[in-house]
Amino acid sequence: MVQNLHDYLADLEDIPGTRVYTTRRARQGYWLNQFAMSLMKEENRKRWKANEKNYLDDWPMTEAQKSAVLARDYNLLLDLGGNIYFLAKVFSTDGLSFVQAVSTMTGMDVAEYQKMMLAGGRSPDGVRSIKGES
Amino acid sequence: MARITAGIASSHVPAIGAAIDLGRTQEDYWRPVFDGFDWTKTWIAESANQPDVVLLVYNDHASAFDMNLIPTFAIGCADQFSPADEGWGPRPVPIVRNDADFAWHIAQSLILDEFDMTIINKMDVDHGLTVPLSLMFGQPAAWPCKIIPLAVNVVTYPPPSGARCYMLGAAIRRAIESYDQDLKVHVWGTGGMSHQLQGPRAGLINAQWDQRFLDDLTRDHARLRNIPHIEYLRETGSEGIEMVMWLIMAGALGESARELHRHYHVPCSNTALGHIVLSPQS
């Protein structure tokens, strides 16, 4: 079954509070994600921790991407082409768990977010579609 | 001849690996996560159920594959693979040993069956592969069987469709059954179930949808294979798409599969943890 690509991509942009990692975002965030990937090596983590700004200057990222990394603004980083599995290298290097880092994107503090998860998580009701508001 | 003796699916949440490695499995938060695997650990240790080889379907999470190379379906064909350093040092788990002759056989068979596989030799394996091994086998000095890694891109859109994954599973069955060695083979599908790790909508869980997915692994494969990407995204969160990898397992087991065991628990970190064991015989 061949899907219409334009309809497919339009649907991906129709989910509230979600940035699907499309090829457009992959292209926009290429160097941001490759920078994050470099933190998988212990020697790079050491250099990063010693001076984050100098480390970023070795990468051909946009200034907006660099300042969002320094601010650990993960929602903005998603908008600038970051992918969560790559960005995970940054927050793991900070010693944060997925729960701690992910909660920062929801407007809740960690305790509130944990409480929501223990109560069964966020319901899909009302956040399925921007157009359909369902 | 080689034959499929079981299908297993399980979430592969990285925090599970950390809980095991740090000895925290008996804490109040973690006990209900791990209790549901006790049945499987006992079952898989019985000689009739022990696999000689596990074909383990998982996704790499920016560990072996960066943005430079994004294979849709990749099969590991080297003799062994090391646990990846995902940012906090490699997990203290055994080296993954492959049955490389069998992996190359499967790769050839799949390509002739019109699945254009990427063949990979040098590759570290991340939590997507090692967490399910820890859940089923515990903490042995060496994994008790050979493991063939099969990595699926579910990170960069579009991932393969559910229908394509299901067909790959059926082709994997043909590949296994055409191998001239007397081997008991498991096919494992990993990842899922509902979860979203990004943006203001993070934390999404849909237990009702997940349970119906588990039900239909033995009841309605036609429905499962036709679920479009957008339904996974809307109903199960942006990372729920990992469940297409369960359909590779389902396709390999076939529609007549019977459920032996099921476990479902919320929350496991940000995720709805799901686990099922299937027998190919109804």
Side-chain angles (χ1 to χ4, degrees), chain B residues 216-235:
Chain B
D216 284 346
L217 286 169
T218 54
R219 290 181 200 167
D220 192 350
H221 284 193
R223 185 186 78 85
L224 294 183
R225 61 191 285 178
N226 288 313
I227 296 170
H229 290 161
I230 189 66
E231 180 174 338
Y232 289 102
L233 286 158
R234 290 199 202 283
E235 297 293 335

Side-chain angles (χ1 to χ4, degrees), chain B residues 204-256:
Chain B
L204 188 132
I205 300 287
N206 192 340
Q208 204 181 351
W209 196 101
D210 288 343
Q211 289 287 357
R212 196 168 160 228
F213 189 94
L214 290 166
D215 290 344
D216 284 346
L217 286 169
T218 54
R219 290 181 200 167
D220 192 350
H221 284 193
R223 185 186 78 85
L224 294 183
R225 61 191 285 178
N226 288 313
I227 296 170
H229 290 161
I230 189 66
E231 180 174 338
Y232 289 102
L233 286 158
R234 290 199 202 283
E235 297 293 335
T236 74
S238 51
E239 278 61 58
I241 191 67
E242 290 179 348
M243 281 183 271
V244 297
M245 295 185 289
W246 290 38
L247 298 184
I248 296 175
M249 182 277 287
L253 270 279
E255 192 120 42
S256 60

Side-chain angles (χ1 to χ4, degrees), chain A residues 8 40 113 122 127-128, chain B residues 85 201 229 234-235 270:
Chain A
Y8 177 90
M40 285 185 62
Y113 182 80
R122 183 191 306 281
V127 289
R128 289 186 172 91
Chain B
D85 180 346
R201 191 176 179 253
H229 290 161
R234 290 199 202 283
E235 297 293 335
N270 300 281

Side-chain angles (χ1 to χ4, degrees), chain B residues 13-278:
Chain B
V13 182
I16 293 175
I20 294 170
D21 301 341
L22 300 171
R24 297 176 58 185
T25 61
Q26 292 310 303
E27 293 179 5
D28 288 346
Y29 180 88
W30 286 107
R31 204 180 302 119
V33 168
F34 289 101
D35 280 354
F37 290 91
D38 287 347
W39 184 93
T40 311
K41 277 186 180 150
T42 305
W43 174 86
I44 208 167
E46 290 167 15
S47 63
N49 304 325
Q50 277 171 2
D52 298 306
V53 179
V54 173
L55 187 142
L56 203 158
V57 180
Y58 75 111
N59 67 291
D60 180 82
H61 305 76
S63 303
F65 303 121
D66 61 12
M67 288 311 298
N68 192 38
L69 197 65
I70 309 169
T72 297
F73 296 121
I75 183 166
C77 289
D79 287 326
Q80 62 182 49
F81 307 96
S82 297
D85 180 346
E86 299 178 56
W88 51 87
R91 288 193 63 209
V93 292
I95 296 273
V96 169
R97 301 201 186 278
N98 191 6
D99 183 336
D101 286 336
F102 192 19
W104 278 105
H105 165 85
I106 291 170
Q108 294 176 84
S109 178
L110 290 176
I111 291 166
L112 291 176
D113 214 349
E114 302 186 343
F115 282 88
D116 308 317
M117 304 297 294
T118 296
I119 290 160
I120 183 152
N121 282 301
K122 190 171 160 43
M123 170 172 76
D124 289 346
V125 287
D126 72 11
H127 67 268
L129 185 128
T130 62
V131 163
L133 290 171
S134 298
L135 283 170
M136 301 331 143
F137 295 129
Q139 295 176 287
W143 299 123
C145 61
K146 300 289 178 62
I147 295 126
I148 301 175
L150 196 149
V152 180
N153 166 44
V154 290
V155 173
T156 302
Y157 272 70
S161 69
R164 188 69 179 151
C165 287
Y166 191 89
M167 289 160 70
L168 175 62
I172 286 170
R173 184 192 187 111
R174 292 190 287 273
I176 290 169
E177 291 178 346
S178 68
Y179 191 57
D180 189 19
Q181 297 276 330
D182 186 26
L183 296 172
K184 289 180 290 178
V185 183
H186 283 194
V187 179
W188 294 8
T190 71
M193 296 186 84
S194 55
H195 65 306
Q196 173 151 341
L197 300 177
Q198 53 123 333
R201 191 176 179 253
L204 188 132
I205 300 287
N206 192 340
Q208 204 181 351
W209 196 101
D210 288 343
Q211 289 287 357
R212 196 168 160 228
F213 189 94
L214 290 166
D215 290 344
D216 284 346
L217 286 169
T218 54
R219 290 181 200 167
D220 192 350
H221 284 193
R223 185 186 78 85
L224 294 183
R225 61 191 285 178
N226 288 313
I227 296 170
H229 290 161
I230 189 66
E231 180 174 338
Y232 289 102
L233 286 158
R234 290 199 202 283
E235 297 293 335
T236 74
S238 51
E239 278 61 58
I241 191 67
E242 290 179 348
M243 281 183 271
V244 297
M245 295 185 289
W246 290 38
L247 298 184
I248 296 175
M249 182 277 287
L253 270 279
E255 192 120 42
S256 60
R258 181 167 55 95
E259 179 174 337
L260 300 179
H261 175 64
R262 179 193 299 204
H263 172 42
Y264 187 80
H265 176 75
V266 177
C268 176
S269 183
N270 300 281
T271 303
L273 177 131
H275 168 48
I276 198 163
V277 181
L278 301 180

